[in-house]
Amino acid sequence: MQERLEFGNILIFICYVAILIFSIPVNLLIVLSVTIYKESRTPVNLLVCNLCAAGLAISVLHIPWKLTTYIFPRQVSLQDQSIHFCRFVQIIPGACVISISLTLFVICIDRYFAIIYPMKRHWKITCRRVYIFLIPCWIISFGIAAVYVFHLHIVQFYNRSYCLSLYPESPLDINVTDHHGNVVDSVSFNRLIYWLLFLSIAFLLPTAAMLGFYSVIARRLWFHQNPSDQLSTLSLKDQSSQLKLNRRVIKILIICLTIFVITNLPFYFIVMLVDLRLMPIISGFGMINRILSMINLSAVAFNPIIYGFSNKSITKGIYRLLSSSLCCRRQLPPRHNKANEVVKMPRISSRSFTTVIWNTALE
């Protein structure tokens, strides 16, 4: 059993290293491309930049310390010896996870209004509104994470130190009794309230938004109920191409929701039940917890692919950044002067009205 456990730790260690090797440069490139090039600072790009900045912070300030537990499994880690270092290591992922969830929630709303109500520009998210959103977003994120780290303490178990959360007792604590009426366990009311608050913001809010708004978008795209789609002049070939493009967007929506649920729900659900003492710790729970934690943190590698590299303006900025850093003097296509450019409505062709609006929302 011990050999299996060590082999499992090696596999998890390799997965973490792969996540670091990929997530750090990818997130960094997206952040730099948006911050350096002014034309890339669109509202959606700023939200994606915030998404990648939070993922970069997790990759740099949290995951490396988790790797030390796999390199030296029998040694007491520094976060289990120093309460200040323990709180620092824990507050970073907590705040970044909440910030990522709130950012995904706003991105979902922006795409909904951009596709369903493209002509109502007063509902569209602007750069100024994004900057206003980012300030309370990080304040709320660090505030909720601070509540958790405030209750962290160094606890001794079997001559070894552990950094665990200890909440004060409350008259509202839920007591668990046996059939004789004797109290056998209790559920901390303060701990329960924190979990409800954390899950509501970090998981339930963005999941409900994705499920609701993306369902409306998917229905609109599937039946292509748009102004240009209902014209009788649309050829059968263009209708077929348009429908394929619309359903491709639907697949992207499904992937966004599926990856978010898979990377978050199992870890939060299991950890919450164990932390609230609603589920006993079974044999092998340590390995299950490590695997679910690794899957949860793998989102820092998936998010830049889904939300960053699917954005043409961000990929162009990354290309320019890499070209300048490698001293490549390739001639980029000449930019059109937007002041002299004639704005035209998209013509009915293989690119539908909704697809053009979708690409506009991404760019």
Side-chain angles (χ1 to χ4, degrees), residues 33 39-40 45 248 306-320 351 355-356 358-363:
S33 65
E39 59 271 17
S40 297
N45 288 0
R248 183 182 177 185
I306 299 174
Y307 298 94
F309 283 91
S310 61
N311 190 318
K312 292 182 179 180
S313 61
I314 290 181
T315 53
K316 288 180 182 179
I318 293 175
Y319 175 77
R320 290 179 59 189
R351 292 171 60 86
T355 306
V356 173
W358 174 262
N359 291 334
T360 303
L362 288 178
E363 298 173 5

Side-chain angles (χ1 to χ4, degrees), residues 235-289:
S235 65
L236 293 177
K237 182 179 179 180
D238 289 338
Q239 287 182 6
S240 178
S241 300
Q242 172 186 303
L243 188 59
K244 289 180 180 179
L245 290 172
N246 288 350
R247 292 182 178 178
R248 183 182 177 185
V249 174
I250 295 175
K251 292 179 181 179
I252 297 176
L253 298 178
I254 296 175
I255 291 174
C256 293
L257 178 60
T258 303
I259 290 180
F260 182 79
V261 173
I262 291 177
T263 55
N264 290 279
L265 180 59
F267 177 71
Y268 292 152
F269 183 73
I270 298 297
V271 174
M272 180 190 68
L273 292 181
V274 173
D275 193 40
L276 295 177
R277 300 179 182 178
L278 299 177
M279 186 181 78
I281 299 178
I282 59 176
S283 177
F285 172 76
M287 178 57 63
I288 296 175
N289 183 50

Side-chain angles (χ1 to χ4, degrees), residues 283-296:
S283 177
F285 172 76
M287 178 57 63
I288 296 175
N289 183 50
R290 294 187 187 99
I291 294 174
L292 294 179
S293 178
M294 184 267 297
I295 294 175
N296 178 252

Side-chain angles (χ1 to χ4, degrees), residues 191-258:
R191 190 184 299 269
L192 178 62
I193 292 299
Y194 178 79
W195 269 109
L196 292 176
L197 176 63
F198 176 81
L199 285 180
S200 299
I201 297 178
F203 180 75
L204 296 179
L205 182 65
T207 301
M210 290 183 185
L211 188 61
F213 292 144
Y214 286 173
S215 297
V216 176
I217 295 174
R219 182 178 180 276
R220 174 67 64 87
L221 295 178
W222 187 269
F223 294 103
H224 47 84
Q225 299 172 350
N226 299 292
S228 63
D229 299 335
Q230 298 175 359
L231 297 178
S232 58
T233 56
L234 192 64
S235 65
L236 293 177
K237 182 179 179 180
D238 289 338
Q239 287 182 6
S240 178
S241 300
Q242 172 186 303
L243 188 59
K244 289 180 180 179
L245 290 172
N246 288 350
R247 292 182 178 178
R248 183 182 177 185
V249 174
I250 295 175
K251 292 179 181 179
I252 297 176
L253 298 178
I254 296 175
I255 291 174
C256 293
L257 178 60
T258 303

Side-chain angles (χ1 to χ4, degrees), residues 307-338:
Y307 298 94
F309 283 91
S310 61
N311 190 318
K312 292 182 179 180
S313 61
I314 290 181
T315 53
K316 288 180 182 179
I318 293 175
Y319 175 77
R320 290 179 59 189
L321 187 64
L322 293 177
S323 299
S324 60
S325 62
L326 296 176
C327 299
C328 296
R329 298 182 178 180
R330 297 180 180 178
Q331 294 291 335
L332 294 177
R335 300 179 188 175
H336 297 284
N337 189 358
K338 294 185 178 180

